[in-house]
Amino acid sequence: MPTFELGPNQYGKAEIRLVRVERQAGGDRLTDLNVSVALRGDLAASHLTGDNTAVLPTDTQKNTVYAFAREFGIASIETFAARLAEHFVATQPTIHEARVSIQQHPWQSVDGRHAFRRDGSEVRTATVHHGPYGTQTVSGVTGLVLLKTTESEFHGFAKDKYTTLPEARDRILATSVDATWRTAGPPADPEPARAALVEAFADTYSYALQQTLFAMGSRVLERCPDVVEVRLSLPNRHHFLVDLAPFGLDNPNEVYYAADRPYGLIEGVVRRDGAPIPQEVVWSI
């Protein structure tokens, strides 16, 4: 008879939508979050026999998120995630590890009082793991769309019989940045890291998106001494010159076709030389 065993497993409440309004005399503050909780521990009985003695309901996890938002507020998504993760491990004897991931959707006031506008596709992120190894925090941003109209080239690349791409001495460079960064100690203010990413993209004369990736990661490490590692994923949002010759018109780098797919995807890690790198916590599922 074949035998089977239970492998790694976790459970939790995913994508808890939370909007908190801080009522202030000088204008309200709006925080818009998407919170996901995952817990690990002595949970085999629930899988093997349906015994739920060790299972804290996911509905309770959802309620905890809302209650903590009211009781403690949300100073930053990193501190809010850490408070939740530590709570679940500390209060549930069968839970030994917790992972809380948060996405923050930015809103900007339009009147300084009560009206807001949503800021595009950019989302702030934070993931906190808490368990026997301590607490680890990774901050980041996703969907940060950047574009340069010039100061970008791409030439000298390998060619074979299937290559049709012409070499470019002047092109549009566009991407949608997904970035995460680790700190050696407690999480720091994420804005300097984000600003460094944007600044490096803008002032780096690029001969390849790979070069821009390294410049962006390096700038974060230069500006943020607590950051020890930056991970970047940069899709190349291709812009192709339109051939206007059939209409008797030239096209001096003015009219482009913006292609959404397929796209090049450049990914990499930039680390501080010689600095201790935190051991990454990887949950296999």
Side-chain angles (χ1 to χ4, degrees):
M1 290 288 293
T3 58
F4 309 98
E5 65 177 18
L6 179 66
N9 62 90
Q10 68 251 1
Y11 82 107
K13 202 68 163 181
E15 300 198 32
I16 303 165
R17 295 291 291 119
L18 165 63
V19 176
R20 187 175 192 275
V21 180
E22 295 180 46
R23 308 291 181 179
Q24 301 174 344
D28 294 341
R29 178 174 179 264
L30 185 68
T31 303
D32 183 354
L33 306 182
N34 200 28
V35 183
S36 293
V37 178
L39 306 179
R40 281 190 170 189
D42 299 327
L43 301 168
S46 179
H47 289 271
L48 301 178
T49 67
D51 179 357
N52 294 317
T53 304
V55 176
L56 181 71
T58 65
D59 189 67
T60 303
Q61 298 171 35
K62 175 203 69 178
N63 293 341
T64 304
V65 170
Y66 292 136
F68 273 38
R70 175 66 184 95
E71 184 175 1
F72 302 109
I74 306 169
S76 72
I77 57 176
E78 287 83 1
T79 56
F80 188 58
R83 188 186 298 272
L84 286 165
E86 292 166 3
H87 165 80
F88 290 123
V89 173
T91 60
Q92 299 300 313
T94 59
I95 299 302
H96 307 314
E97 298 181 59
R99 179 184 66 198
V100 178
S101 301
I102 300 181
Q103 299 171 319
Q104 180 174 11
H105 303 282
W107 292 81
Q108 294 293 329
S109 175
V110 297
D111 65 352
R113 297 172 61 246
H114 318 303
F116 295 82
R117 64 173 172 81
R118 173 78 176 268
D119 270 0
S121 61
E122 182 181 344
V123 175
R124 274 268 294 113
T125 64
T127 299
V128 173
H129 291 85
H130 178 72
Y133 42 77
T135 302
Q136 297 187 28
T137 303
V138 178
S139 300
V141 63
T142 183
L144 172 60
V145 178
L146 301 173
L147 182 148
K148 293 179 66 168
T149 58
T150 188
E151 294 188 352
S152 174
E153 305 181 21
F154 186 59
H155 52 81
F157 46 82
K159 302 178 180 68
D160 65 13
K161 65 180 181 179
Y162 300 112
T163 301
T164 60
L165 183 71
E167 296 195 344
R169 303 286 174 170
D170 187 11
R171 66 172 183 168
I172 285 179
L173 182 64
T175 187
S176 178
V177 179
D178 287 351
T180 59
W181 51 90
R182 297 178 180 276
T183 54
D189 178 6
E191 185 52 36
R194 180 193 177 279
L197 292 170
V198 174
E199 180 186 275
F201 178 87
D203 65 21
T204 298
Y205 193 107
S206 179
Y207 293 96
L209 189 51
Q210 289 89 333
Q211 176 196 7
T212 300
L213 180 150
F214 186 75
M216 293 170 72
S218 298
R219 190 71 57 88
V220 172
L221 296 176
E222 290 171 1
R223 296 291 175 81
C224 306
D226 290 338
V227 174
V228 296
E229 179 183 272
V230 183
R231 292 174 180 258
L232 290 157
S233 177
L234 304 181
N236 195 342
R237 292 192 165 186
H238 300 295
H239 289 65
F240 299 109
L241 277 173
V242 177
D243 182 8
L244 300 178
F247 317 119
L249 298 171
D250 65 355
N251 188 4
N253 291 344
E254 292 184 358
V255 180
Y256 296 83
Y257 164 64
D260 64 342
R261 65 195 65 181
Y263 53 86
L265 182 60
I266 313 303
E267 299 177 295
V269 179
V270 184
R271 291 174 174 156
R272 190 177 298 281
D273 186 27
I277 305 300
Q279 179 65 39
E280 182 176 12
V281 179
V282 178
W283 287 13
S284 58
I285 57 174

